[in-house]
Amino acid sequence: MIGMIVVIFPLLFFLGKIVKNKRCYVTMRTQICALALLMVVALGATALPAMADTQGSSSVSLDLGNSVPPDLTAVDLYDSDESTGTTQMAPQIEYAVKISVTNGNTLNDIDTIVVVVKEAAHSGDDSATHQATYQWSSTDGWSMTGPGGTWSIDVADCDVPTLTETSGDWWLHFTPGKVAIESVSNWKINATVTDKGSLSDNSPELTGLEMLWYGEISEVDESFGFGSISLGDTDIQITGEDTVVDVKAIANGAYKLETKSGDCTKGADTATLDWDGTLDPGHFALENDGLGDVITSNYVQDSYTTVTDFVNKTAPTAEGGDDEPIYVWVSVASSGFVLGIYSGTYNVQIAPA
């Protein structure tokens, strides 16, 4: 019994001191009561009654506010291998954008990442020529918002960091469209990261990017002819329903159309291409232009030369390109041919102006 008094007394005394710091009057009374109780226990019965449970528990909850915004630390452009940094882009080539993010609430808190690839001066909506937008969301992953067409995203190559970490890199793999406007250093990439508390960060931008020239001929008439011609005929135009060579030109900058040809053959017999203005026996000449005027046309040679009226064409504004008709004429020498049907190849190419 004395042992119990010694153990309990310091505890009650300590509790009494705690109260004393708040209300002196109540403390004194509490301390006196404690001492009186100890005396009663010491002098009373020889056995203590059984005690009920001496421990209990309460649940504790913490409501941690989402007051710290995410930190977008870097936006970088790489070739599709994700290891070679670059400041150049070219239409129809895949590139990778790395978006580096830090968030104290772990990356699980990131809700969306929006990446915009754009020509710096453009301020409008997504367009085939000036802007494309891509998005990652915590529910749907990576996707392209616009403009579609030949702009694309390679979802299979896109990547997401370990979301239980507090920092990591998202990877966007995208391909610029065919008519993404050519520019030496006026393209940029920016990103905006938003967390689930609607807090966001959108810096820094990656600026000074170059979009290289791109050109394509998507359609050219497969064949054409001049019908039946006689020795010595000059400036005979293409015959048939369509008297021109139809070309569809696609480019993201100013362009020109160039043509070349070569000798024509009929079995072992050859008609020789000529472009010096004088037709020797067995020679023929081809002339072409874009306006249907043989007077201003140019001679077709055995290496590419620019077609008159297609020296400096403005870039198309749509991915479908521009329809460009090429008018072609033939002239033949007055002698030196074995009569018959000769055939050859007429080549057309697009090149930067």
Side-chain angles (χ1 to χ4, degrees):
M1 294 297 293
I2 296 175
M4 291 181 63
I5 294 173
V6 173
V7 171
I8 296 174
F9 179 79
L11 175 62
L12 293 175
F13 182 72
F14 177 69
L15 292 174
K17 289 187 68 177
I18 292 175
V19 180
K20 182 178 180 181
N21 291 332
K22 296 182 178 179
R23 298 182 180 86
C24 294
Y25 175 73
V26 174
T27 298
M28 293 178 63
R29 294 184 59 187
T30 303
Q31 188 171 345
I32 292 170
C33 291
L35 289 171
L37 175 62
L38 290 172
M39 293 299 293
V40 170
V41 172
L43 300 175
T46 59
L48 291 176
M51 300 179 67
D53 290 342
T54 59
Q55 296 183 347
S57 63
S58 299
S59 61
V60 178
S61 63
L62 298 176
D63 186 4
L64 297 176
N66 194 352
S67 60
V68 179
D71 185 12
L72 198 165
T73 57
V75 176
D76 297 298
L77 179 66
Y78 292 81
D79 289 342
S80 59
D81 60 7
E82 296 187 0
S83 62
T84 306
T86 184
T87 59
Q88 292 183 331
M89 296 182 288
Q92 300 304 279
I93 302 295
E94 182 175 309
Y95 297 91
V97 179
K98 182 173 75 171
I99 306 101
S100 301
V101 179
T102 297
N103 192 304
N105 295 318
T106 78
L107 299 180
N108 269 312
D109 189 40
I110 302 302
D111 189 40
T112 60
I113 297 177
V114 177
V115 179
V116 179
V117 183
K118 63 180 294 185
E119 194 275 327
H122 182 67
S123 60
D125 297 330
D126 290 338
S127 72
T129 54
H130 287 81
Q131 179 176 297
T133 303
Y134 299 90
Q135 177 174 289
W136 178 86
S137 74
S138 58
T139 55
D140 300 323
W142 280 107
S143 62
M144 180 172 65
T145 302
T150 59
W151 283 88
S152 63
I153 180 173
D154 189 343
V155 175
D157 285 346
C158 294
D159 201 8
V160 176
T162 302
L163 298 181
T164 54
E165 301 290 337
T166 57
S167 64
D169 302 322
W170 274 260
W171 286 95
L172 162 67
H173 283 250
F174 76 101
T175 298
K178 293 180 179 181
V179 294
I181 188 168
E182 176 192 18
S183 177
V184 174
S185 60
N186 287 333
W187 278 79
K188 67 179 182 179
I189 299 175
N190 61 57
T192 300
V193 178
T194 303
D195 67 16
K196 293 174 182 176
S198 298
L199 301 175
S200 64
D201 188 25
N202 60 353
S203 60
E205 289 186 330
L206 182 61
T207 60
L209 301 177
E210 180 178 9
M211 185 68 73
L212 301 175
W213 185 88
Y214 175 86
E216 172 186 320
I217 292 178
S218 64
E219 297 176 14
V220 178
D221 285 343
E222 293 183 358
S223 64
F224 62 90
F226 299 95
S228 179
I229 58 178
S230 301
L231 296 179
D233 280 351
T234 60
D235 301 336
I236 304 301
Q237 198 169 357
I238 295 173
T239 60
E241 294 183 1
D242 193 354
T243 59
V244 297
V245 177
D246 291 309
V247 175
K248 186 176 289 293
I250 299 173
N252 69 337
Y255 67 92
K256 59 186 177 183
L257 293 181
E258 300 176 326
T259 60
K260 73 173 183 178
S261 189
D263 297 344
C264 291
T265 60
K266 180 185 74 68
D269 300 319
T270 299
T272 302
L273 180 68
D274 198 333
W275 57 86
D276 64 4
T278 301
L279 293 177
D280 297 328
H283 288 205
F284 75 100
L286 294 175
E287 297 169 88
N288 51 203
D289 86 339
L291 293 177
D293 188 352
V294 70
I295 296 176
T296 59
S297 64
N298 64 289
Y299 282 106
V300 180
Q301 302 180 26
D302 62 358
S303 60
Y304 280 110
T305 55
T306 305
V307 180
T308 303
D309 307 316
F310 289 118
V311 176
N312 188 1
K313 297 288 291 185
T314 302
T317 57
E319 293 196 325
D322 291 338
D323 293 319
E324 305 287 15
I326 301 178
Y327 298 83
V328 185
W329 299 265
V330 66
S331 299
V332 298
S334 58
S335 64
F337 294 98
V338 176
L339 299 182
I341 299 175
Y342 290 76
S343 62
T345 302
Y346 175 85
N347 302 280
V348 183
Q349 77 171 11
I350 189 170

